[in-house]
Amino acid sequence: QVQLQESGPGLVKPSETLSLTCTVSGGSISSAYWTWIRQPPGKGLEWIGYIYYSGSTNYNPSLKSRVTISVDTSKNQFSLKLSSVTAADTAMYYCAREDIAEAGIDYWGQGTLVTVSS
Amino acid sequence: QTVVTQEPSLTVSPGGTVTLTCASSTGAVTSGHYPNWFQQKPGQAPRSLIYNTRNKHSWTPARFSGSLLGGKAALTLSGLQPEDEAEYYCLLYYGSVRVFGGGTTLTVL
């Protein structure tokens, strides 16, 4: 059973960079797309992007200029950096696994709330 | 910008059947969009229900089914139970990019 756990600061100042890490357990970080998704309070889900264990990435075009997703296979972790944050980036951030062969997201982390405020 | 549209809200009686749909601003939804469906209850992370149009995860209740219907992706819930009350989201694939629908609030009343 794959498990994912997000970690990182819960409060980030405007104009700074949001940084989160997702630790994967119960399975290898290879052979899947490792995904970040966010949800502003009271709103719907937004796909941020994913990374393959090789390091190849794909991002939401609306966030592409500010997003970087990276992977550390030695630690079974992948990370999200979102630069120049504003209050609009306040959200619950989820990491998830997308099974490439099955064309579906299957496992989710519990999420971590990040608030952008001075 | 691609928009994926779902019914904002639906209300159904216990024991009933309901179909939620997921439309694409680019045209008909096909199997090539690999529709996924998720359930989210208040205060919880989303839970995956359906992948690649109609495939169920091992934990997906048998009363949930996915399909393509009239150019849209569809999620049908039959024999509705009170615990099915939740927000439901679809996700469509557009090449290497994924787009979520706005979600449907399902009330079982």
Side-chain angles (χ1 to χ4, degrees), chain B residues 17-20 63-67 69 74-78:
Chain B
T17 297
V18 66
T19 296
L20 288 62
R63 62 182 183 279
F64 291 72
S65 63
S67 64
L69 195 64
L75 175 69
T76 299
L77 294 72
S78 57

Side-chain angles (χ1 to χ4, degrees), chain A residues 27-84:
Chain A
S28 171
I29 203 163
S30 60
S31 303
Y33 289 146
W34 300 97
T35 299
W36 287 99
I37 293 159
R38 70 180 183 178
Q39 184 172 37
K43 296 189 178 180
L45 301 170
E46 180 178 31
W47 181 81
I48 298 172
Y50 65 67
I51 190 165
Y52 188 51
Y53 79 101
S54 64
S56 64
T57 55
N58 275 295
Y59 300 135
N60 184 326
S62 69
L63 298 171
K64 189 172 184 177
S65 63
R66 298 194 292 130
V67 172
T68 302
I69 299 176
S70 58
V71 64
D72 186 337
T73 55
S74 67
K75 295 182 179 179
N76 247 30
Q77 293 177 335
F78 63 106
S79 298
L80 169 71
K81 289 190 186 299
L82 181 65
S83 64
S84 304

Side-chain angles (χ1 to χ4, degrees), chain B residues 13-55:
Chain B
S13 300
T17 297
V18 66
T19 296
L20 288 62
T21 67
C22 176
S24 171
S25 64
T26 63
V29 176
T30 70
S31 58
H33 289 96
Y34 304 102
N36 279 227
W37 290 93
F38 308 92
Q39 177 192 64
Q40 187 179 33
K41 296 182 178 181
Q44 296 183 15
R47 180 175 74 139
S48 300
L49 296 174
I50 300 290
Y51 62 95
N52 197 357
T53 305
R54 64 185 72 250
N55 297 293

Side-chain angles (χ1 to χ4, degrees), chain B residues 77-98:
Chain B
L77 294 72
S78 57
L80 277 161
Q81 302 181 5
E83 60 263 33
D84 297 329
E85 184 163 293
E87 192 79 14
Y88 291 84
Y89 293 94
C90 65
L91 175 77
L92 298 180
Y93 287 34
Y94 294 88
S96 58
V97 173
R98 321 295 186 232

